[in-house]
Amino acid sequence: MIITLTQPLLLPLLLLLLLPLQLLHVVVVVAAVIMTPTRELAMQIGRECRKFTRALDLHVVCVYGGTGISEQIAELKRGAEVIVCTPGRMIDMLAANSGMSVCLSVCLR
């Protein structure tokens, strides 16, 4: 198994996400937002994060510019515990429908 630099940073985050979910039996809309400066880094983090979250039944959505925003909004509406994003696209998402498409208007206040 090849370990990338991203994996050691993701493991503590995923542990923090899992413990409250299992102990409290709560439903979380968005538990973590990972903001990266570039689209390429967002894609890499999302790819590495999915390797772990698939087995944990957590959903990851990557939100970045350069692709259609409507597909990303649809993916977010299906639900995600982890969002990996770039700042510009997250601003676009929050501006669309006053943030309701992302369900982050409450989380980020």
Side-chain angles (χ1 to χ4, degrees):
M1 177 179 187
I2 298 173
I3 296 178
T4 65
L5 293 175
T6 307
Q7 293 169 344
L9 301 173
L10 287 174
L11 290 176
L13 171 71
L14 295 175
L15 286 174
L16 286 173
L17 290 178
L18 273 182
L19 291 176
L21 292 176
Q22 290 178 345
L23 295 176
L24 302 176
H25 303 288
V26 295
V27 176
V28 176
V29 177
V30 175
V33 176
I34 302 171
M35 195 164 295
T36 68
T38 64
R39 166 180 49 211
E40 292 79 14
L41 186 55
M43 291 167 45
Q44 175 190 344
I45 292 172
R47 190 170 44 250
E48 294 298 321
C49 197
R50 281 188 188 99
K51 290 179 184 178
F52 296 103
T53 57
R54 192 173 300 127
L56 303 173
D57 198 30
L58 298 174
H59 299 92
V60 179
V61 174
C62 282
V63 177
Y64 50 85
T67 61
I69 194 169
S70 58
E71 294 88 11
Q72 293 175 346
I73 289 174
E75 210 174 341
L76 286 170
K77 285 184 178 181
R78 285 192 290 270
E81 286 80 19
V82 179
I83 297 176
V84 182
C85 62
T86 56
R89 184 47 64 102
M90 183 52 73
I91 290 169
D92 294 343
M93 291 287 189
L94 291 172
N97 293 331
S98 301
M100 298 311 247
S101 62
V102 187
C103 299
L104 282 179
S105 57
V106 175
C107 298
L108 296 179
R109 285 188 185 169

